[in-house]
Amino acid sequence: MGLRAGKTPMIVDATAGLGRDSFLLASLGAQVTLIERSEKMHALLVQGMKRAAREGGQIREIIGRMTLLKGDALDVIPELAGEAILIDPMHPERKNSALVKQDLRQVREIVGSDDDAADLVRLAIKHARKRVVLKWPAKAAPIEGVKKCTHQIIGKTTRYDVFMIS
Ligand SMILES: C[S@@+](CC[C@H](N)C(=O)[O-])C[C@H]1O[C@@H](n2cnc3c(N)ncnc32)[C@H](O)[C@@H]1O
């Protein structure tokens, strides 16, 4: 996402979900704006962030760097001018659903699938100032209708398709 020593970009997490990626980025010092369109996921996140802030200390500081917005990122992103935009849509359903972690199965029960992910990536590429990062299953085909990424960071189960903005 462009974090390095002494550099903490303004990040937009367009698909907040359980807020884990945002929490991680904020714990590394980034200011993160989270966007969530599901009423229920948004309400759960509000509760979770409040509870976390009550812990005080470092956790409160990290939560202080996270700003949660309710809405569709397709509408909100054009107004934000984010330096780096993270997109982690619900992944295509795996054949072996036993491999899908329980927490993500629960999110899927709430939000269903994100069939407009290609629109979101294209819009993010148009509005991000530096980069867009798409988190996607390591072995899945690229999302149809999105241009080729600049480079990829590939993990065991997840890969990150990075689109640098020139
Ligand atoms: C796979 S989860 C994200 C998990 C998250 N990265 C985490 O660390 O917990 C996808 C979430 O993005 C939300 N979402 C998908 N498309 C969106 C959009 N266009 N605007 C806002 N939220 C969106 C879904 O409602 C769902 O909660």
Side-chain angles (χ1 to χ4, degrees):
M1 297 304 295
L3 282 107
R4 354 198 142 85
K7 195 170 177 318
T8 46
M10 266 272 311
I11 294 176
V12 174
D13 179 353
T15 52
L18 297 167
R20 291 173 303 192
D21 289 324
S22 283
F23 186 84
L24 186 64
L25 291 163
S27 73
L28 296 172
Q31 292 287 339
V32 188
T33 301
L34 301 79
I35 312 170
E36 177 52 58
R37 66 179 167 189
S38 151
E39 285 275 344
K40 194 160 173 189
M41 288 306 298
H42 178 270
L44 287 168
L45 256 179
V46 169
Q47 268 179 33
M49 285 172 66
K50 270 193 195 149
R51 272 212 309 273
R54 281 203 295 272
E55 291 291 313
Q58 223 186 349
I59 306 279
R60 187 188 178 84
E61 244 176 64
I62 295 168
I63 297 291
R65 288 194 282 274
M66 296 167 63
T67 306
L68 174 61
L69 304 178
K70 183 162 72 179
D72 196 314
L74 286 164
D75 302 324
V76 180
I77 280 178
E79 289 161 24
L80 290 179
E83 213 170 319
I85 303 181
L86 173 65
I87 301 178
D88 176 23
M90 291 308 297
H91 301 158
E93 247 179 303
R94 288 207 212 161
K95 286 184 201 108
N96 186 353
S97 61
L99 292 178
V100 180
K101 287 189 193 136
Q102 166 82 357
D103 46 5
L104 277 182
R105 275 210 298 271
Q106 285 170 336
V107 176
R108 190 185 292 285
E109 274 165 30
I110 296 173
V111 307
S113 59
D114 292 327
D115 297 333
D116 53 356
D119 295 341
L120 186 53
V121 177
R122 280 197 300 266
L123 180 99
I125 291 172
K126 208 165 134 200
H127 290 278
R129 286 187 287 131
K130 291 250 168 80
R131 77 189 71 210
V132 174
V133 179
L134 169 67
K135 191 172 166 186
W136 202 236
K139 293 190 178 133
I143 294 188
E144 241 174 82
V146 172
K147 71 173 187 180
K148 201 167 174 289
C149 61
T150 321
H151 61 275
Q152 292 182 315
I153 298 161
I154 304 178
K156 247 196 211 156
T157 56
T158 302
R159 72 166 196 262
Y160 298 87
D161 291 354
V162 183
F163 303 82
M164 297 302 296
I165 312 298
S166 48

